[in-house]
Amino acid sequence: MRKAIITGIRQGGVVDVSTPQAKENWVVVKVHTTPMCTEYKSFLAGTPSQQLGHEAAGEVVEVAQPGRWKVGDRVVVMPQNPCGVCPLCLAGEYIHCQDVADFASIHGSREGSATMAQYLLKQAHQLIPIPNGMSYDHASMACCGLGPTFGSLERVGAGTLDTVLITGLGPVGLGGVINASFRGARVIGVESNPWRAERARALGAEAVVDPTAEDALAQILALTHNGRGVDHAIDCSGVAAAHRLCIDGTRRKGTVSFVGESGRNSTDLFISDDMIRKGLTLHGSWHYNLALTPKILQVIAANTDKIDRLISHRFPLEEVQSAWETQVSGECAKILLKPWG
């Protein structure tokens, strides 16, 4: 089979590797759609990578034992390789599993773990069915396209009486605009990239503030009820300045969700002013509870036009170099790889 790799700074390509085989509860999925995500960071840094991708949609083509899936089933592939039996997994919070499977030990190598490939191996409990009539491309947005912000908004119960601030309008933040506007909330975006700011407006953002403006916080507050701040804020950028903008732009007793990865970078947090006196609730949102899968699929089905706008580009797997170059340009939303052309 063919799969994508990174060989150096801004250098990627496609190579031939062995096709994985089903084993125990691990099934083989023929990948029809691979959404691109954070792998571009390795592309920019030149970190050699042989196993790329963590989200996909495709077709079950091989099973090793009777179970919930049969050959021909259309599925979305959830990220990670959680154990499936710990309390977190059983509660649907698999993304936080601390006992993830050792893929290489089980299968003899890591081949088959990548989603930026023509085939992959995944545990049966990490697949969800694609509804009849829904395309692979649209269904794949149930991963990182809509997933992290969907989980955040579900957790805080955002609705029609709320104003939601979203900082960082890359693919994940743009997915947040779809999620929040579908719930009837007013959406204020924060983004300096003109292309993405315009795409956010097309997806339902009422206003987009440039974070480089000296009065960015004042602009946000002026858009809220009595200037008191938004009800909920979601950071999708991972930037410390955006974290503070979310905290400072949220009303008392509001909520702030951190979705964007920030590595080991620190963010100033003032316990007295931010937490005690302001009464904010701060939390991280990596993904969503697996029990909410029917709901996120309903969001996708009800927003087909917006999902088409969220997906800005499609590339054959063989053109992954061009796909990464487009991704790092910033003039894109969610980019899909098509492993079979």
Side-chain angles (χ1 to χ4, degrees), residues 19 34 67 84 94 120 145 161-162 220 239 245 248 254 275 293 301 331:
T19 300
T34 301
Y94 72 91
L120 61 81
L161 299 179
D162 295 323
I220 292 168
V239 176
L245 199 59
D248 295 335
M275 303 297 293
T293 298
E331 294 193 351

Side-chain angles (χ1 to χ4, degrees), residues 244 247 251-254 269-282:
R244 280 308 318 176
I247 293 169
R251 64 166 173 79
R252 294 193 173 203
K253 299 297 292 182
L269 178 64
F270 306 105
I271 299 302
S272 292
D273 290 344
D274 298 334
M275 303 297 293
I276 298 175
R277 293 181 176 84
K278 200 168 184 181
L280 292 179
T281 296
L282 311 180

Side-chain angles (χ1 to χ4, degrees), residues 4 16 35 37 56 88 93 103-104 150 153 158 205 293 297 318 326 338:
D16 288 306
C37 197
L88 285 168
E93 299 291 348
F103 190 99
F150 174 83
L153 291 163
T293 298
L297 291 172
E318 299 292 331
T326 301
K338 306 298 289 184

Side-chain angles (χ1 to χ4, degrees), residues 67-336:
R68 68 175 72 182
W69 303 110
K70 64 182 185 301
V71 171
D73 285 342
R74 301 190 318 133
V75 294
V76 178
V77 178
M78 292 288 102
Q80 305 282 2
N81 293 310
C83 71
V85 296
C86 71
L88 285 168
C89 285
L90 293 176
E93 299 291 348
Y94 72 91
I95 200 71
H96 300 291
C97 177
Q98 294 177 275
D99 303 312
V100 295
D102 186 334
F103 190 99
S105 294
I106 295 171
H107 299 287
S109 76
R110 293 193 62 206
E111 290 301 345
S113 64
T115 65
M116 297 175 74
Q118 291 180 318
Y119 295 97
L120 61 81
L121 274 169
K122 184 62 69 167
Q123 300 132 300
H125 60 76
Q126 282 302 98
L127 305 175
I128 62 174
I130 298 176
N132 293 333
M134 183 176 290
S135 69
Y136 287 116
D137 289 1
H138 281 198
S140 72
M141 294 299 101
C143 293
C144 297
L146 295 183
T149 56
F150 174 83
S152 170
L153 291 163
E154 185 73 18
R155 179 172 178 173
V156 302
T160 56
L161 299 179
D162 295 323
T163 297
V164 175
L165 175 69
I166 302 176
T167 54
L169 298 176
V172 173
L174 291 172
V177 175
I178 294 175
N179 279 318
S181 59
F182 178 69
R183 290 169 171 267
R186 294 177 61 238
V187 180
I188 301 171
V190 175
E191 176 60 54
S192 59
N193 181 305
W195 192 98
R196 287 178 167 172
E198 183 56 37
R199 186 58 55 105
R201 294 186 187 94
L203 292 174
E206 181 176 303
V208 179
V209 174
D210 185 342
T212 65
E214 291 185 4
D215 65 341
L217 177 59
Q219 289 185 50
I220 292 168
L221 294 176
L223 292 167
T224 66
H225 182 65
N226 290 333
R228 298 299 177 89
V230 301
D231 301 287
H232 311 291
I234 305 174
D235 175 64
C236 299
S237 72
V239 176
H243 294 167
R244 280 308 318 176
L245 199 59
C246 285
I247 293 169
D248 295 335
T250 300
R251 64 166 173 79
R252 294 193 173 203
K253 299 297 292 182
T255 66
V256 178
S257 303
F258 301 106
V259 167
E261 296 279 3
S262 60
R264 302 292 296 177
N265 295 326
S266 61
T267 296
D268 290 332
L269 178 64
F270 306 105
I271 299 302
S272 292
D273 290 344
D274 298 334
M275 303 297 293
I276 298 175
R277 293 181 176 84
K278 200 168 184 181
L280 292 179
T281 296
L282 311 180
H283 65 262
S285 182
W286 196 357
H287 210 45
Y288 58 93
N289 189 291
L290 201 58
L292 297 173
T293 298
K295 284 190 176 183
I296 196 169
L297 291 172
Q298 288 173 18
V299 174
I300 293 170
N303 288 276
T304 56
D305 290 345
K306 288 188 176 182
I307 298 298
D308 285 335
R309 287 179 176 270
L310 178 62
I311 301 169
S312 62
H313 298 79
R314 293 174 175 84
F315 289 90
L317 181 66
E318 299 292 331
E319 297 178 18
V320 68
Q321 175 74 27
S322 296
W324 270 318
E325 292 288 358
T326 301
Q327 195 175 24
V328 300
S329 76
E331 294 193 351
C332 63
K334 199 68 170 173
I335 297 178
L336 305 184

